[in-house]
């Protein structure tokens, strides 16, 4: 993963569809990050993750996903240039944080808000503002 260039990680829910405002916002943000020269990295799944990857992909940028291995649902979205499969949520979050220069947190389900904040606080070595 360290050869993919400077990254911006975009976090967000898998539960938003293309017709929703948050999906469309994530698509525009992904495109804007790609136009600035950043690789857009997400969890690689549907919803906000797909939208951010789609925006980057269609803007001519590089789009990467760190996909979690689940028995159902989570499959790589079609807008990824590269993806990896991660068996554990914590390892996935560490990778999403380790290779990024910035983070954008889009709407997520409430239980994931605490999870994301916990990962940032436990992994944060004062290089990032939360």
């Amino acid at each position: 993963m360290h050869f993919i260039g400077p990254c911006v990680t975009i976090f967000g829910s898998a539960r938003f569809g293309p017709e929703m405002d948050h999906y469309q916002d994530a698509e525009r943000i992904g495109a804007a990050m790609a136009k600035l020269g950043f690789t857009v990295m997400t969890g690689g799944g549907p919803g906000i993750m797909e939208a951010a990857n789609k925006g980057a992909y269609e803007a001519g940028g590089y789009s990467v996903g760190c996909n979690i291995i689940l028995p159902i649902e989570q499959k790589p979205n079609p807008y990824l240039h590269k993806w990896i499969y991660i068996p554990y949520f914590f390892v996935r979050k560490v990778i999403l944080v380790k290779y990024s220069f910035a983070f954008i947190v889009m709407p997520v389900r409430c239980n994931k808000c605490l999870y994301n904040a916990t990962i940032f606080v436990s992994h944060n070595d004062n290089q990032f503002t939360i």
Side-chain angles (χ1 to χ4, degrees), residues 10-14 16 22-23 26 42 46-53 106-107:
I10 300 176
F11 293 97
S13 176
F16 291 99
H22 295 309
Y23 184 101
T42 71
I48 297 292
M49 298 173 281
E50 176 183 288
N53 290 130
M106 299 292 292

Side-chain angles (χ1 to χ4, degrees), residues 63-122:
S63 179
V64 175
C66 296
N67 216 291
I68 191 75
I69 298 171
L70 294 174
I72 58 169
E73 179 182 296
Q74 187 80 4
K75 293 184 177 32
N77 69 62
Y79 303 102
L80 300 171
H81 290 100
K82 179 176 183 163
W83 65 91
I84 58 172
Y85 288 101
I86 308 293
Y88 305 107
F89 279 102
F90 180 77
V91 174
R92 179 189 192 201
K93 293 293 182 181
V94 169
I95 289 172
L96 289 168
V97 171
K98 180 178 181 178
Y99 294 105
S100 290
F101 287 81
F103 310 98
I104 297 170
V105 181
M106 299 292 292
V108 293
R109 293 191 321 255
C110 204
N111 62 337
K112 287 199 174 185
C113 290
L114 179 59
Y115 178 69
N116 285 337
T118 302
I119 295 300
F120 281 121
V121 171
S122 65

Side-chain angles (χ1 to χ4, degrees), residues 7-23:
C7 292
V8 171
T9 293
I10 300 176
F11 293 97
S13 176
R15 305 287 182 248
F16 291 99
E19 71 287 349
M20 302 180 87
D21 290 342
H22 295 309
Y23 184 101

